[in-house]
Amino acid sequence: PVPGRCAYFVERKKRFCRMIPAAGRRFCGEHGQQEEENDRKRIPCPLDPKHTVYEDQLQKHLKKCNSREKPKPVYFVQDINAGFKDVAEVPEKQVPISSLSKEELESLIIKLKKACNGLDFHLQEEILSHQALQEALNDPNNGESAFKHLKQQASILGNMEKLRLLGSGRCFVEFGAGRGKLSHWVDVALQTVEDVQFLLVERATTRFKVDGKHRRRDSAFERLQVDIQHLCLKKVPVLEKKKLPVVGIGKHLCGAATDLALRCLVKSYTTCCDGENKEPAPKRSRTDKTEMASNNSTDTESTKDNCKPVAGIVIALCCHHKCDWTHYVGREFFKSVGLGPVEFNYFQRMSSWATCGMRETTITVSTHEDESNDTEEHEQTSSKTESSSDAMQGMILTVEERKEIGYLCKRLIDHGRIEYLQQQGYKAALRYYTESAVSLENVLLTAVPSPSLIPEPT
């Protein structure tokens, strides 16, 4: 063991414990029972059996254990962004794709292509940059991974600037914030701007956070440790007080988290602003807008005074295989093209074929199901393939066919999100914001309030 460290050998990790024991002891508190002279008994913590505690100090430990249930913050509203609570139509058990017959798989692919027919999935490229990151991008000490992250962050900021979302008097809400690097660069880009607020939403505790380093007078960073599913933005104290326009941002927001974030911004937040249990105003025709402007101008001004809109949304999409029908915002679109929860559950799993379809050896489709990655970007590393086909129940799919099917699944799911945002009064779009060599998950979802909802001047 390392001098000054615990002398207990952790068999599972094949190394000695790295905790620092109390003065005069060989073992840390966790492994103190190994000392022959120590007759105090340690038991698993009832709140989290992954760690132990002295039995005679259990009650004291329960009061300060990190696993204890903490008081809910004021902005916690149970399942406010969860979507439809009726899960009767959701299949109880998912059938593995590998168990499908050739005919069943062909039927699924036919349904997929029929639903995609007529939809424009040729996305435009908006690979931009921002001067705030130029110095970091030119730093020769950056490794390949750091450089790729910086290129993505620079393009996200460039797209935000093009949409005129970088400005004063705004609250930037970063969903799935992690260390908070995206908010960090937004703050750097707004160094000369006043009255800027940052809310970093992350349900897990995070090490090496960068937001703690910001002490600029005119910007404020606040972390909200809460699941997006339960976040009511209207009840966050700073938004209650300042009523700032909100800009929702996110870099590689996984699966269902994107749907929860969209509903949090354009549904629950707008509903809270307009009044409890009141639905957002539907999209109006030109005639309706003119009549509304002339007859309800006072009400419109009052609404603008009482509730600032969501100024924009910029989210880099990721991990469609982690989407969930219960939370998905595009359910109505799926139903309109003759699809339902069964097809959705297959398509969301097949979407991973777009990023993990290339392999060095021939592998059955079943090995790719629900496959995720431990890398920060949650993406699969592509490699040159020696074989060009995968087999499933007698049906041969080439690598390119698998990638194309996976791509269609991703874009179909994303199109449902676009239609949802359009129905809520937003001008939404999908675009490539970086090269596939930088990230296989290279699609950016953007949305701003639709100009068609703004009353025309008389």
Side-chain angles (χ1 to χ4, degrees):
V2 178
R5 300 295 176 124
C6 178
Y8 181 79
F9 186 78
V10 185
E11 185 64 31
R12 180 174 59 87
K13 298 184 178 180
K14 303 300 181 184
R15 63 168 173 79
F16 286 94
C17 173
R18 295 172 180 170
M19 298 297 290
I20 300 175
R25 294 187 177 274
R26 296 181 57 230
F27 299 93
C28 67
E30 183 72 15
H31 304 121
Q33 71 272 27
Q34 303 297 317
E35 291 186 283
E36 295 179 0
E37 66 274 18
N38 189 352
D39 57 357
R40 297 172 67 191
K41 182 181 180 182
R42 292 185 71 88
I43 60 174
C45 173
L47 300 179
D48 182 6
K50 292 182 180 179
H51 66 274
T52 62
V53 60
Y54 284 117
E55 188 175 27
D56 57 4
Q57 292 186 342
L58 177 60
Q59 295 306 316
K60 180 181 178 181
H61 171 79
L62 292 177
K63 294 179 181 179
K64 61 180 181 180
C65 178
N66 288 332
S67 298
R68 72 190 186 280
E69 185 176 358
K70 300 175 180 65
K72 297 291 189 297
V74 293
Y75 46 79
F76 181 97
V77 178
Q78 185 72 37
D79 294 329
I80 188 172
N81 304 313
F84 301 89
K85 294 184 178 180
D86 182 12
V87 295
E89 58 181 359
V90 179
E92 294 183 2
K93 184 179 180 181
Q94 290 187 347
V95 178
I97 297 176
S98 58
S99 67
L100 295 177
S101 65
K102 177 182 177 181
E103 291 74 21
E104 288 173 325
L105 179 62
E106 287 178 335
S107 176
L108 270 178
I109 295 174
I110 290 172
K111 287 183 179 181
L112 172 66
K113 293 183 176 180
K114 182 179 178 181
C116 295
N117 187 32
L119 301 179
D120 185 9
F121 288 165
H122 298 287
L123 310 186
Q124 292 186 348
E125 282 191 355
E126 289 288 352
I127 303 176
L128 307 176
S129 190
H130 196 280
Q131 59 184 5
L133 289 93
Q134 289 311 303
E135 183 178 348
L137 284 167
N138 295 327
D139 186 350
N141 295 322
N142 284 328
E144 182 181 0
S145 177
F147 181 69
K148 287 182 177 181
H149 286 298
L150 289 169
K151 286 196 69 174
Q152 294 173 70
Q153 291 155 349
S155 184
I156 291 174
L157 261 68
N159 277 275
M160 292 176 66
E161 185 174 52
K162 185 173 182 178
L163 293 170
R164 299 181 181 179
L165 296 178
L166 295 177
S168 61
R170 293 188 174 173
C171 177
F172 295 88
V173 183
E174 182 178 358
F175 294 94
R179 294 175 59 197
K181 292 300 288 285
L182 184 56
S183 291
H184 162 77
W185 289 116
V186 172
D187 183 64
V188 172
L190 300 176
Q191 284 290 334
T192 59
V193 173
E194 298 181 351
D195 195 18
V196 178
Q197 178 74 35
F198 292 91
L199 296 177
L200 280 67
V201 183
E202 178 60 62
R203 65 182 179 182
T205 55
T206 307
R207 301 176 65 192
F208 310 117
K209 298 183 286 289
V210 298
D211 43 291
K213 301 177 182 179
H214 292 265
R215 294 291 182 267
R216 194 158 59 86
R217 183 186 63 184
D218 296 325
S219 70
F221 281 72
E222 180 181 353
R223 278 200 171 254
L224 308 180
Q225 189 174 340
V226 62
D227 194 309
I228 305 171
Q229 182 170 328
H230 313 301
L231 172 61
C232 179
L233 281 176
K234 178 60 179 176
K235 294 188 177 183
V236 176
V238 68
L239 290 178
E240 275 192 314
K241 180 180 178 180
K242 294 187 176 182
K243 294 181 171 60
L244 298 172
V246 166
V247 178
I249 60 177
K251 178 172 176 284
H252 288 195
L253 194 58
C254 282
T258 294
D259 298 298
L260 295 172
L262 294 180
R263 194 176 282 108
C264 175
L265 289 165
V266 308
K267 192 75 172 180
S268 63
Y269 182 59
T270 304
T271 303
C272 287
C273 285
D274 292 342
E276 294 297 330
N277 302 321
K278 183 179 178 182
E279 292 295 325
K283 198 169 183 178
R284 295 179 172 85
S285 65
R286 183 182 296 270
T287 305
D288 292 336
K289 293 197 296 287
T290 305
E291 184 178 350
M292 178 186 70
S294 59
N295 296 337
N296 301 316
S297 59
T298 304
D299 293 339
T300 302
E301 292 174 1
S302 175
T303 301
K304 288 183 178 179
D305 291 338
N306 294 331
C307 175
K308 299 293 185 181
V310 173
I313 301 170
V314 180
I315 295 176
L317 302 172
C318 180
C319 295
H320 294 73
H321 64 278
K322 292 186 178 180
C323 290
D324 187 290
W325 177 256
T326 303
H327 303 314
Y328 181 51
V329 297
R331 289 168 59 144
E332 292 305 315
F333 161 71
F334 254 66
K335 292 177 180 178
S336 70
V337 292
L339 303 175
V342 174
E343 291 82 8
F344 179 86
N345 282 318
Y346 281 121
F347 292 164
Q348 55 99 354
R349 284 178 282 166
M350 291 161 63
S351 69
S352 65
W353 295 356
T355 53
C356 67
M358 294 182 287
R359 285 294 182 271
E360 294 182 355
T361 57
T362 302
I363 307 173
T364 58
V365 173
S366 61
T367 61
H368 295 297
E369 270 188 44
D370 300 322
E371 188 169 15
S372 59
N373 199 314
D374 292 333
T375 62
E376 184 176 346
E377 297 297 7
H378 316 284
E379 62 188 39
Q380 300 296 328
T381 303
S382 62
S383 60
K384 292 183 179 180
T385 179
E386 297 295 336
S387 62
S388 61
S389 66
D390 283 328
M392 183 187 346
Q393 300 292 70
M395 183 175 182
I396 301 299
L397 297 173
T398 67
V399 169
E400 291 304 317
E401 286 173 337
R402 284 169 54 83
K403 288 175 63 178
E404 177 62 21
I405 292 170
Y407 176 83
L408 291 178
C409 289
K410 280 178 174 286
R411 298 293 78 83
L412 190 67
I413 292 172
D414 290 338
H415 188 82
R417 291 164 169 167
I418 293 297
E419 286 214 355
Y420 170 80
L421 289 169
Q422 291 172 345
Q423 290 169 3
Q424 299 299 319
Y426 288 81
K427 182 181 179 182
L430 298 170
R431 61 200 70 196
Y432 292 119
Y433 77 103
T434 192
E435 301 90 348
S436 58
V438 173
S439 174
L440 293 176
E441 298 282 14
N442 61 341
V443 175
L444 190 71
L445 183 152
T446 64
V448 293
S450 176
S452 64
L453 287 182
I454 303 175
E456 298 177 356
T458 56

